[in-house]
Amino acid sequence: MDVDGLYFGDNLDVLRDHIPDGSVDLVYLDPPFNSKATYGILFKEPDGTPSQAQITAFDDTWHWTEEAQRTFDEIVRTAPADVVEMMRAFIHFVGRNDMMAYLTMMCIRLVELRRVLKDTGSIYLHCDPTASHYLKIVMDTIFGKNNFRNEITWKRKTGQIETKNRFANITDIILFFSKSDSNIYNPQFNFEAAGYTEYIDKFFKYTDEKGRRYRIADLSNPAPRPNLMYEYKGYKPPKKGWAISKEKMEQFEREGRLHFPKSKEGRIQRRRFLDELKGKPVQNLWDDIEMISSHSAERLGYPTQKPLALLERIINASSNEGDIVLDPFCGCGTATIAAEKLKRRWIGIDITHLSINLIKFRLKDAFGLEPKKDYTIIGEPEALSGARELAKLNRYQFQWWALSLINARPYGDKKKGADTGIDGYLYFSDEKDEYKKAVVQVKSGTIGVKDIRDLGHVIDREDSDIGIFITLEQPTRPMITEAAGKGFYSSKYWNKEYPKIQILTIEELLSGKQPNIPAKLPSHKKAERAETTKQHELLE
């Protein structure tokens, strides 16, 4: 198992092939909600304005297909008896439809996630009302109803939202289960909770000799305690006795924790100091963490991105430094970033190279981490043979992966529109505050001189400065000649000429070659810098 690693692939396969039994301390998953929505990544231009290019990240609509039926049959053959009976009941009640396909997909993965959890481990499943009631039954069955810890309600939106015939939906559900009753749990506190400032102002109205603010608290026992009916410094005990022993009372006095009334008829009370206050205990209603706004520096443009503060709370509550955090639907990697920041080890899994690439950029921007050096990536091609296999498997995934090799940004959604001849953009800066772009084409099949001519037309049409042609196959001599005939882009700032059309093979890119262009700009929005002192070790 590679800890501090990103895995590209189906999380069911990755869990079975790479993650051992009882090896993970905390699982957080934010799976597609079966809300019949298509989610896209909306990139921004270098000047910060929204781009017209939206890439479909995933479609979360599930359908009952042969694959869903095969997965259901596998559950019946291999899952524990109570899980089988639960799913059989569901299929009779729910039917063979989109919802049942979603529950089947989730069930078989939750069985694996329970397997990889340590006995002290916990799992947090983030969902919405579309399927939360079904998912809770699934988790009750797989993890045991006695291991249900909380149904956390996260208020993700504020303000009034008008709806036609129902109340506005402004919350998500987070189902919190553990594998046993010995799960790690660290209580969380919040100084920013609503009404907390008023509470402090109202009750912390005393100041001691050193200027420390405090409130007073009762030291009497709620039940009769004859053994605690002692007099202290001339002050008589309460009717039912003190709450602490005489030795503890003396300790409190030495530490300045006793509040003595002026009259001996009064009662000694305990000082609770403001500077020792942890904050208001966090309960199962989380209304203090707002959804990331469209203008937030934290927002990266990824669909369903969750606030870093939300993941930090979960990780702090159910793990300790050095523990392993697993996110099997890691998306833009917020759980990974939070785990790295909080000095945990982490494993992220996603089925799209768009996500894996975005997390790579985010880890570099936030912590300066480099793949292979500071963490591993499993499932990405490392040789030409692997690239060919990826191209056969899914040409869109191959295209996104190839673009990542030169830090280019994907363009357009080929699944939904006509081919524009542009697969990506690579922005560069040639003058102060002036951004230019190179258009990028990626080819995984047969190529010829016509492809270079077509790229030349795209460059002219888009008024672009440079065109980059990435190919899985070796270019022919006529292609090289055609590219050279397009001439050069001249940079006055750098006093240098750059080939107008550049042909790069996958083999060359895997060997470290990069496009010959002026200073590149990041293809994704730069993530905020974060700090951690965690030491990286790749563990097998």
Side-chain angles (χ1 to χ4, degrees), residues 475-514:
T476 64
R477 176 58 59 183
M479 291 174 64
I480 296 172
T481 302
E482 182 71 25
K486 193 65 177 178
F488 295 89
Y489 163 70
S490 296
S491 168
K492 295 180 181 179
Y493 182 81
W494 297 101
N495 192 27
K496 186 177 177 181
E497 290 188 331
Y498 301 87
K500 192 82 170 176
I501 292 183
Q502 301 176 26
I503 303 175
L504 294 168
T505 67
I506 292 294
E507 190 172 20
E508 288 174 325
L509 293 174
L510 289 172
S511 298
K513 188 173 181 179
Q514 286 289 298

Side-chain angles (χ1 to χ4, degrees), residues 162-340:
E162 293 185 6
T163 57
K164 182 180 179 181
N165 57 3
R166 61 178 176 82
F167 296 106
N169 236 339
I170 62 170
T171 61
D172 280 353
I173 300 298
I174 303 174
L175 300 174
F176 170 23
F177 281 76
S178 62
K179 192 170 181 178
S180 72
D181 60 3
S182 59
N183 60 298
I184 296 169
Y185 178 68
N186 306 308
Q188 299 298 294
F189 301 89
N190 180 18
F191 258 111
E192 306 299 327
Y196 206 59
T197 300
E198 292 81 357
Y199 161 75
I200 291 173
D201 290 341
K202 181 178 180 180
F203 291 102
F204 287 82
K205 53 188 179 182
Y206 300 96
T207 304
D208 74 357
E209 303 78 13
K210 298 179 180 178
R212 298 175 71 192
R213 285 181 65 182
Y214 67 92
R215 64 164 295 180
I216 55 175
D218 193 9
L219 270 176
S220 63
N221 209 299
R225 293 292 298 274
N227 60 319
L228 297 178
M229 296 291 293
Y230 59 87
E231 187 175 294
Y232 190 77
K233 296 286 179 94
Y235 292 92
K236 295 180 180 180
K239 290 182 179 179
K240 296 181 180 180
W242 299 107
I244 57 177
S245 66
K246 188 172 183 180
E247 291 76 14
K248 192 71 173 179
M249 187 80 80
E250 291 169 345
Q251 178 188 334
F252 276 9
E253 184 178 9
R254 289 194 301 270
E255 295 172 350
R257 297 183 183 278
L258 294 183
H259 178 87
F260 292 94
K262 294 180 179 178
S263 169
K264 293 291 184 180
E265 300 300 319
R267 184 177 298 167
I268 301 172
Q269 292 183 292
R270 179 180 178 179
R271 293 176 175 178
R272 293 191 179 272
F273 291 100
L274 178 60
D275 57 18
E276 295 178 345
L277 205 61
K278 294 179 179 179
K280 184 177 181 179
V282 173
Q283 298 165 325
N284 70 334
L285 173 60
W286 295 1
D287 57 358
D288 57 324
I289 300 175
E290 294 185 2
M291 189 170 65
I292 306 169
S293 71
S294 58
H295 303 293
S296 171
E298 188 179 335
R299 178 163 288 282
L300 300 174
Y302 193 84
T304 72
Q305 180 182 350
K306 299 302 183 291
L308 190 61
L310 185 75
L311 273 301
E312 288 180 357
R313 175 171 292 173
I314 291 171
I315 292 171
N316 275 320
S318 291
S319 70
N320 297 315
E321 288 188 11
D323 285 350
I324 298 174
V325 178
L326 166 66
D327 184 350
F329 295 89
C330 60
C332 66
T334 301
T336 298
I337 298 300
E340 177 68 28

Side-chain angles (χ1 to χ4, degrees), residues 35-50:
S35 56
K36 296 181 173 59
T38 298
Y39 295 95
I41 299 178
L42 184 61
F43 293 99
K44 290 188 176 182
E45 303 294 351
D47 62 1
T49 58

Side-chain angles (χ1 to χ4, degrees), residues 33 126-129 152-157 168-173 285-286:
F33 285 169
H126 197 133
C127 52
D128 73 355
I152 299 163
T153 301
W154 173 44
K155 184 180 178 182
R156 57 183 171 82
K157 291 184 179 179
N169 236 339
I170 62 170
T171 61
D172 280 353
I173 300 298
L285 173 60
W286 295 1

